[in-house]
Amino acid sequence: SLISISAPNYRNGSLMRIDAPNLEHGSVMDLTGGNNLKGGALLKLEIQGEHSASAIDIRAPNVVDGTAIKVEAGGTLLEATTNVSSSVNKAAVHISAPNLKHGSLVSIIADKLAENGNALMLKSESISAGSLLNIKGQGTLLNITNKNARQSVGMNVDLQAGVGLQINSNSEEANAI
């Protein structure tokens, strides 16, 4: 290593702090390189403790019109893997927006999607019980709008076995279909 900081007995606080409160343009830290990078990474974070806190903690409570995290790539944008075997009280990916009133929690835009393309793909080869998609809520739970009905299908169910569509309704006011 060109620069190495070792503090084996350091227990609390920040080992390194960079403060630039009046920065208007530019970056507090800029990592550039990797022209010949075939393995490794420009930035590597590794936590070795079993009950550790977050590897990355980004807080931007005052960002209203901007973006807290922006990622651009020419290839795969995000590849995440977890070894969690049970997520009874937590999910492998958890997004919470308890104060969201308008707009979308997740927005996927794929304007150039061609035949056999998927804006969202859910896949499990091992599902024997449970659901690949579970939607719970109030109001309209699923709204499908297809503006190109001449060349496509609004909803296609292709089964190898089982029930294609089952509707159970306890409603006394509305029609099930």
Side-chain angles (χ1 to χ4, degrees):
S1 297
L2 185 60
I3 298 173
S4 178
I5 299 172
S6 178
N9 297 320
Y10 191 79
R11 292 213 160 309
N12 295 308
S14 299
L15 189 59
M16 182 170 63
R17 180 178 171 90
I18 301 171
D19 191 14
N22 295 320
L23 181 70
E24 291 185 21
H25 303 286
S27 304
V28 172
M29 184 167 45
D30 192 347
L31 302 175
T32 305
N35 292 347
N36 297 317
L37 190 65
K38 292 179 178 54
L42 280 181
L43 178 63
K44 179 180 176 182
L45 304 173
E46 183 176 337
I47 293 180
Q48 296 176 346
E50 185 176 325
H51 300 287
S52 298
S54 303
I56 300 174
D57 186 353
I58 298 173
R59 298 176 190 205
N62 298 325
V63 173
V64 176
D65 295 326
T67 303
I69 300 173
K70 183 177 181 179
V71 180
E72 293 183 30
T76 301
L77 189 60
L78 175 66
E79 184 175 320
T81 303
T82 181
N83 290 324
V84 67
S85 61
S86 176
S87 62
V88 174
N89 295 322
K90 58 185 175 182
V93 176
H94 177 81
I95 301 172
S96 177
N99 296 320
L100 181 68
K101 292 184 181 179
H102 305 287
S104 302
L105 180 58
V106 176
S107 178
I108 299 172
I109 299 169
D111 289 337
K112 301 213 186 271
L113 197 60
E115 188 176 340
N116 297 324
N118 300 298
L120 177 64
M121 180 177 165
L122 305 174
K123 180 180 179 181
S124 176
E125 299 288 340
S126 65
I127 282 198
S128 58
S131 301
L132 193 56
L133 177 63
N134 187 349
I135 302 173
K136 294 180 181 181
Q138 297 176 1
T140 304
L141 296 182
L142 180 62
N143 185 2
I144 299 173
T145 303
N146 186 351
K147 295 181 179 181
N148 193 10
R150 292 176 304 214
Q151 298 176 9
S152 60
V153 177
M155 187 164 109
N156 184 19
V157 178
D158 184 6
L159 295 178
Q160 302 298 317
V163 177
L165 178 63
Q166 180 174 332
I167 299 174
N168 298 318
S169 176
N170 294 326
S171 176
E172 295 178 7
E173 300 175 15
N175 296 322
I177 297 180

